[in-house]
Amino acid sequence: MENKNQGWPDWLPIRADLAGLSPYGAPQISGVVSLNTNENPFALPEKLVADMLRQLPEVLGNLNRYPDRDATELRAALAGYINSQTNSNFQVENIWAANGSNEILQTLMLAFGDRGVLGFVPSYSMHPLIARVVGSKWTSGARSADFSLNVADAMSKIAEIKPGLTFITTPNNPTGTALTIAEIEKLAVATRNIQGLLIVDEAYAEFSDEESAVSLVKNFPNVVVVRTMSKAFAFAGARVGYLIGSKEISEAMLVTRLPYHLSAMTQAIARIAIAHSTELLGEVTILKAERVRISAALTQLGFEVLPSSANFLAFTGFTSHGGDASANWKALLADGVLIRDIGIPGYLRVTVGTPEENTKFLAAVAKLKP
Ligand SMILES: *Cc1c(COP(=O)(O)O)cnc(C)c1O
């Protein structure tokens, strides 16, 4: 009976398959330069906040009622945003929305996870965690030594495992590399051949110059693109994620979602934020320019930086603290700069912050390359 509960007390009837899991746990520390969770560093524009405040009395006056269960107006606004960005013609039924794209991922796995879930690591750590929490079998496929995805190998893995869900993150978190649309299409074919879905996690799409996988949805009903307002839209605290896919996907989501999962406040303020998308995407341009500046400065210091199409950079080549990434991460934190220890030996990941924050980061990291 020893260790049956792996650290949980014996009286707690925790599911055996959860006993060994640890919670998601990026540190939240105040009073430091926070460049560890890929948030947009800019607060929402004042005009946008003013528009939200104007809308608030009406929303608050109706909080005795349940919100629109199907978030129809919000989904229509999201469809309009995606159509404007990608020259497509998606309707409300092609969109599903939830509390962050993590909830989208969970709702997808609840609906389609019984034949297992395949992903290619290192990638977003929540994909395997959510799979395990909903009771799906998770399989880790490999990426190449430079963290790129060998598409031919990935296609063989899909044919071998035959998962209901195959996950691709592009640009990939935590490495930053993006797939081309031609590569994603090959994976769409491979997953279609085994009657599986290809879930393309595009949390960082707005920071990338590659074509979005939404262009595949029309010809590949098995392709589902997952997006979030947490990163480009500077909306992480509001919790809004969504998917773009065939209408049958949204219909399945109606079964596995919790009723009234998206609050009336969330729906209202998200619609207003989408109406301000042009201003918010202007900040993305600044962040992309800062990404170039940080990457060049790190290279100049002698670090090796992975190519990134996202709002973060993974880099390696520390010479202080024996080159140990965790020790260097601690040294940066002691210097007031919080970045991410991503668990890849020798590598750390920094989120692109405001120009001032990035300058502070570069001054601190310069000390780790004596
Ligand atoms: C940040 C992130 C998400 C989740 O964000 P939400 O805040 O839940 O919308 C999903 N996928 C990837 C790859 C991410 O990096």
Side-chain angles (χ1 to χ4, degrees):
M1 293 295 281
E2 250 166 73
N3 277 336
K4 172 177 68 79
N5 272 5
Q6 299 212 32
W8 298 98
D10 281 343
W11 58 263
L12 197 69
I14 190 154
R15 261 167 49 195
D17 57 347
L18 292 189
L21 296 184
S22 348
Y24 176 87
Q28 294 188 299
I29 301 173
S30 55
V32 295
V33 174
S34 285
L35 302 174
N36 73 328
T37 50
N38 300 342
E39 292 152 323
N40 187 318
F42 298 112
L44 293 177
E46 275 174 34
K47 264 178 54 203
L48 168 50
V49 173
D51 280 358
M52 289 175 177
L53 288 173
R54 256 194 301 281
Q55 188 66 36
L56 217 48
E58 190 188 322
V59 177
L60 298 182
N62 281 310
L63 284 184
N64 56 313
R65 300 291 177 191
Y66 281 114
D68 173 7
R69 215 172 28 223
D70 299 337
T72 310
E73 282 182 58
L74 171 58
R75 288 160 65 205
L78 288 165
Y81 166 67
I82 289 294
N83 290 341
S84 72
Q85 291 294 299
T86 60
N87 207 5
S88 38
N89 188 27
F90 294 107
Q91 309 294 318
V92 174
E93 57 269 23
N94 297 114
I95 310 286
W96 184 250
N99 293 282
S101 52
N102 281 312
E103 189 181 52
I104 295 281
L105 300 172
Q106 185 185 58
T107 315
L108 282 167
M109 292 203 216
L110 285 169
F112 307 115
D114 65 337
R115 270 164 50 205
V117 185
L118 170 66
F120 300 90
V121 298
S123 189
Y124 186 46
S125 62
M126 286 308 296
H127 295 159
L129 183 56
I130 298 172
R132 289 184 173 123
V133 166
V134 306
S136 290
K137 181 176 158 48
W138 168 266
T139 303
S140 287
R143 286 177 171 262
S144 309
D146 65 356
F147 309 113
S148 64
L149 187 74
N150 181 313
V151 174
D153 288 353
M155 291 170 73
S156 317
K157 195 77 181 173
I158 291 165
E160 176 200 329
I161 306 281
K162 298 184 177 55
L165 294 171
T166 299
F167 275 79
I168 280 297
T169 310
T170 181
N172 189 44
N173 180 10
T175 58
T177 39
L179 292 175
T180 64
I181 194 73
E183 290 173 315
I184 302 171
E185 182 165 354
K186 286 183 185 162
L187 299 169
V189 172
T191 48
R192 184 177 63 188
N193 287 345
I194 55 138
Q195 288 181 14
L197 298 184
L198 179 67
I199 311 297
V200 187
D201 188 334
E202 286 193 356
Y204 302 96
E206 285 91 346
F207 299 95
S208 172
D209 297 326
E210 294 293 344
E211 185 178 339
S212 166
V214 298
S215 63
L216 297 174
V217 168
K218 203 168 156 213
N219 291 331
F220 292 90
N222 66 312
V223 170
V224 179
V225 181
V226 179
R227 293 276 191 110
T228 178
M229 292 181 68
S230 294
K231 315 282 166 54
F233 272 85
F235 221 49
R239 313 301 303 130
V240 182
Y242 56 103
L243 65 74
I244 303 104
S246 320
K247 69 174 180 6
E248 290 80 2
I249 302 290
S250 306
E251 283 163 9
M253 299 296 90
L254 290 169
V255 178
T256 51
R257 65 101 185 270
L258 293 172
Y260 313 111
H261 64 294
L262 208 47
S263 86
M265 287 183 289
T266 305
Q267 294 186 36
I269 61 174
R271 289 203 310 270
I272 297 167
I274 294 161
H276 286 256
S277 61
T278 311
E279 284 154 80
L280 292 168
L281 295 181
E283 295 172 346
V284 168
T285 309
I286 300 172
L287 294 171
K288 285 170 76 174
E290 282 293 296
R291 176 179 78 206
V292 173
R293 177 172 82 95
I294 301 171
S295 177
L298 286 173
T299 307
Q300 185 75 37
L301 287 168
F303 290 100
E304 211 180 298
V305 187
L306 294 181
S308 171
S309 301
N311 66 339
F312 55 81
L313 291 157
F315 62 105
T316 188
F318 300 95
T319 46
S320 59
H321 305 286
D324 177 62
S326 300
N328 281 280
W329 177 85
K330 281 198 194 98
L332 281 172
L333 184 55
D335 221 355
V337 180
L338 173 63
I339 66 169
R340 191 66 167 265
D341 184 355
I342 47 181
I344 303 177
Y347 281 85
L348 294 177
R349 186 195 72 193
V350 62
T351 303
V352 177
T354 62
E356 299 72 37
E357 289 173 330
N358 300 332
T359 298
K360 280 187 195 159
F361 159 71
L362 288 170
V365 82
K367 300 178 198 164
L368 304 178
K369 195 75 188 176

